[in-house]
Amino acid sequence: KIEEEQLTSKPETITEVVNGSINFDINDYLIPKVARLFEFSKPATAIDETLFEPLVGEAFKQLDFDVNILPQGVRKNPYAIIRFREENIAFIVDAKVSSKEYFNTTDDRALKAAIIDHTIDLKREGFKKVGFIVVCNSFEANHTDFINYINWNTDIKKLILLTSDALLYILAYKIKDKLRLEFVVERLVSLNILITPQNVINGFDSQ
């Protein structure tokens, strides 16, 4: 259960400059609830790790995706399905604070089976393009074996490793520039597999 005071309390102002500078204060465009994701980047954060996935889901909701949180049971299930019906695009989303823990504990074969099943279901619903997004606080390695395995064994169109900070930067740009979800998705899939705040700044400042 999400502790409401942890979700709604105001985070510290983000003052870190990402490899250069941006011409706006990101906190002006994020509600405190979602901005709590920034706290997972701090070395000695006190925020409850179980809040990470719900906050990721909330950020995608604010991007205007239709977010469906998946049941977590015996079979490996990703965290959520996010849909953009207007363009018949969907993403299967998995999320965990630590990428090291995620890749060390994820059974690739079980995940592959889940992705295949969800992709089939989404195509039956009329979604023509299905991607797969893994959201973590950071990514300590390039995870080439995982990327190659998923790309080779499933029909997903785009695999994305997205840092949680980068997700918040995307949301801030969407709100600041009043961007349509169609543009956000187009820009998102045009970036490299690994997306960090700097990638977002480079990609969205050029729009």
Side-chain angles (χ1 to χ4, degrees):
K1 184 178 179 180
I2 299 175
E3 297 293 338
E4 191 63 27
E5 64 270 16
Q6 284 191 286
L7 288 177
T8 57
S9 59
K10 185 170 182 171
E12 297 176 14
T13 300
I14 305 303
T15 57
E16 180 182 1
V17 176
V18 184
N19 221 11
S21 62
I22 54 176
N23 59 4
F24 65 94
D25 185 345
I26 193 170
N27 289 285
D28 291 340
Y29 301 96
L30 300 175
I31 65 170
K33 177 180 178 180
V34 174
R36 301 294 288 180
L37 271 175
F38 276 125
E39 298 202 15
F40 289 97
S41 302
K42 298 177 183 177
T45 182
I47 190 168
D48 184 353
E49 287 193 1
T50 62
L51 300 179
F52 185 80
E53 289 90 344
L55 289 173
V56 167
E58 182 63 30
F60 280 116
K61 284 181 184 177
Q62 291 191 23
L63 282 171
D64 292 333
F65 283 102
D66 176 17
V67 177
N68 175 32
I69 307 302
L70 298 173
Q72 301 299 306
V74 177
R75 192 190 87 161
K76 167 60 186 172
N77 227 354
Y79 178 66
I81 303 289
I82 60 174
R83 294 170 171 85
F84 179 25
R85 172 53 80 181
E86 186 177 330
E87 293 294 321
N88 289 322
I89 294 171
F91 293 93
I92 301 164
V93 175
D94 225 348
K96 203 169 197 64
V97 176
S98 166
S99 66
K100 182 177 181 181
E101 183 180 352
Y102 178 81
F103 290 107
N104 284 345
T105 59
T106 295
D107 182 332
D108 291 354
R109 288 178 297 179
L111 179 61
K112 176 197 75 173
I115 290 174
I116 290 172
D117 288 347
H118 288 302
T119 300
I120 291 171
D121 290 342
L122 287 164
K123 287 184 176 179
R124 284 175 181 158
E125 293 176 30
F127 290 93
K128 300 184 184 304
K129 295 179 180 179
V130 180
F132 179 51
I133 301 175
V134 178
V135 183
C136 295
N137 171 50
S138 63
F139 293 88
E140 294 80 14
N142 58 18
H143 306 293
T144 302
D145 290 344
F146 174 84
I147 292 167
N148 290 340
Y149 181 82
I150 297 299
N151 280 335
W152 183 253
N153 290 287
T154 70
D155 290 332
I156 61 167
K157 295 292 186 182
K158 177 74 174 182
L159 190 154
I160 296 170
L161 305 181
L162 179 66
T163 70
S164 50
D165 284 4
L167 175 59
L168 292 181
Y169 273 80
I170 293 169
L171 179 57
Y173 274 104
K174 181 189 187 302
I175 296 169
K176 179 178 76 73
D177 297 331
K178 299 178 174 61
L179 302 175
R180 291 175 56 85
L181 181 55
E182 179 181 4
F183 175 87
V184 172
V185 170
E186 179 184 308
R187 192 53 55 95
L188 180 66
V189 299
S190 72
L191 299 175
N192 293 331
I193 288 176
L194 175 60
I195 301 179
T196 65
Q198 188 62 53
N199 300 130
V200 175
I201 292 168
N202 293 343
F204 282 75
D205 265 353
S206 63
Q207 60 97 11

